Amino acid sequence: MRTVAQLELRQRLRSTRWKVALVVWFVVVGAITALAVGALGDVGDGLGLGSSIFGIVVFFVLFLGLIVAPTLSSAAVNGDRNAGTLATLQATLLTPAEIVVGKLLAAWAAALAFLVASVPFIVWAILAGGLNPLLLLATLAVLALELGVVCAIGLGFSALVTKTSGSGVLTYLVAGALSVGTLLVFGLTVPAITAEEQVRAWDVEQGYDWESDEPPVCEWQTVETTQVHTERTWWLLAANPFVVVADVQPVPPYDIDDPAATSADPLALIQTGVRAARTGPADEVDWCTGMHVSFDADGQASAPASPVETPELSTAPVWPWGLGLHLLLGLGAVAVAVRRLRIPAYSLPRGTRVA
Amino acid sequence: MESSRGIHAVGVRRAFGEVQALADVRLEARPGRVTALVGPNGSGKTTLLLVLAGLLVPDAGQVSVAGFDPVTEGPQARARTGWMPDVFGTWDSLTAREVLTTVAAAYRLPRDAGAARAAELLDLVHLTELADAPAHVLSRGQKQRLGLARALVHDPDVLLLDEPASGLDPRSRVDLRVLVRELAARGRTVLVSSHVLTELDEMADDAVFLSGGRTVATQSVTAAQEQRRRWRLAALDAAALRAWLAAAGVPAVAADDGAVHVDLAGDAAAAALLRDAVTAGVPVTSLAPAGGLLEQAYLALEEERR
């Protein structure tokens, strides 16, 4: 295993292409950080700015990582096969698992180098925002695992498909399906989970004259309304790597006075959205409180207390589901690759020679 | 014990979809001998070597390499088998030395032993000067030599060489021949495939002829020397030579360059003919086998098949 990983890394380190890619990466992430700072500089400061920049930088690091990671592994097996170097390894005493895991470790290490190149910006955002340093560890860990999963999937395809371009495209397709496809499917299933349902509503009394000065009396009514049961399909969103990374952050305290504080942070937005989707619609709604505000003698606004509990976002984390699914995918891909590298071979991939 | 070493293959079959690459191969390669695997392009030589190297499962037949079945006892068989593929892929950015130390590690040699072995082999194939140059600057012949060194890293009992001499310069060919003979002398089993038959002549003890995925003949090269074969006879005076041959009743075929070809049964017959010709005053300049032993045997087989 170490032999293979060492061999792969040695070859990678000696190609100039890889150094160029790393420099370009550093520049791009730096540029995005600078742009984010410039764009948000006027909007807010303090906690809001820091966490927003953190969110934007992490979002883009994952985005770029999903683009780079497939190129690191999707030619690992079929590329070697075409170059005639795979069989020479297989003919030695190395087991298929050692070859596959060694290649995966090398590809993953290369992906992690890109992650390391973006750490300065993430650290800066955390320091500027006064965020918990533990956040850095959690985020980096999840980012690293996600990149590892993409590398594993690329490796799996490279063992399945003869052409390196084919395995590259397939890997991008899977990354795209997880990142964008899950969103599309989630959107497309909305009609299927939408229903007209009876809900208990704390509503304005029936026949209330909206012209009158008398405050309305609130009362329970049973009304028919449209409910979208996203609690049945939230798991589609959980499979999205962006959701996994976003959801690993601690839930930000929602600040009613300063909603802008979190609004520019794409991660926080994603997290809130997914947790809300998981919570689903409430079966009791308040359509009355706040409809009429009366002022008492002291000039204090008073409204009758609402019997409807304010719906709380699900506190159950979503990310373990997504991360678990991704790790299973990665393990499956590794298992496929190991199977395909077993020798002596019974069948050969179409149009390939063993050596 | 002797019979369990070396290479034994009986009734080996292997198809790739519609193509029957190996239809019925029988092969015996004994320790201490160099066995030539001869056959036209597409006769299944490379496929057979892949089966023997434990990379491909035969559809049928029994195979034993160094006493182990490459299918059911893969690791044991591979530990004793050195395989040099015909298409030599190399890790281009690695140096020759790193290629060998990597392969040594892949055969689970300790690091120090691997480094020592690499240095030893680089010396053996005359690549010491290029040891620390990246493999992509090596010429085809140099890569071929590196490939041979790679097959020898774990000091295997059985050596499978697929077209080892292609791309080698004359000096390297001689070196290869000497090395192969030396390995055989140390009790190794060597199987060499090639379609350049003259070079096999000089290194092989036995030959297995493959055609259309079948073993069509098995022959000992020393035995071939005693067989009736064609010799080329040339003289200063071609007319005198032909006249003498006609008088002596030796059937001869005129070759393009004024020389003649005669069929003779072994070296003794050749010596006798030469003596008679010289005694008769024919100005003979040369008498030599026309083409190699294996070439003639091979062409004879081809003719039979037509």
Side-chain angles (χ1 to χ4, degrees), chain A residues 125-146:
Chain A
I126 284 192
L127 290 180
L131 304 175
N132 186 349
L134 276 180
L135 189 61
L136 174 71
L137 287 183
T139 308
L140 285 182
V142 174
L143 278 175
L145 285 176
E146 289 291 338

Side-chain angles (χ1 to χ4, degrees), chain A residues 26 34 98 117 123 218 254 338 340:
Chain A
F26 189 80
E98 280 175 311
V123 167
C218 297
Y254 183 67
V338 171
R340 296 288 286 198

Side-chain angles (χ1 to χ4, degrees), chain B residues 19-32:
Chain B
V19 185
Q20 190 74 37
L22 298 178
D24 179 20
V25 171
R26 175 174 34 81
L27 183 143
E28 189 90 10
R30 279 171 289 158

Side-chain angles (χ1 to χ4, degrees), chain A residues 6-24:
Chain A
Q6 200 179 5
L7 168 67
E8 293 273 312
L9 281 175
R10 225 178 221 165
Q11 294 183 76
R12 278 179 208 274
L13 281 175
R14 285 183 192 167
S15 78
T16 44
R17 204 179 49 171
W18 133 277
K19 285 165 203 154
V20 172
L22 211 55
V23 170
V24 169

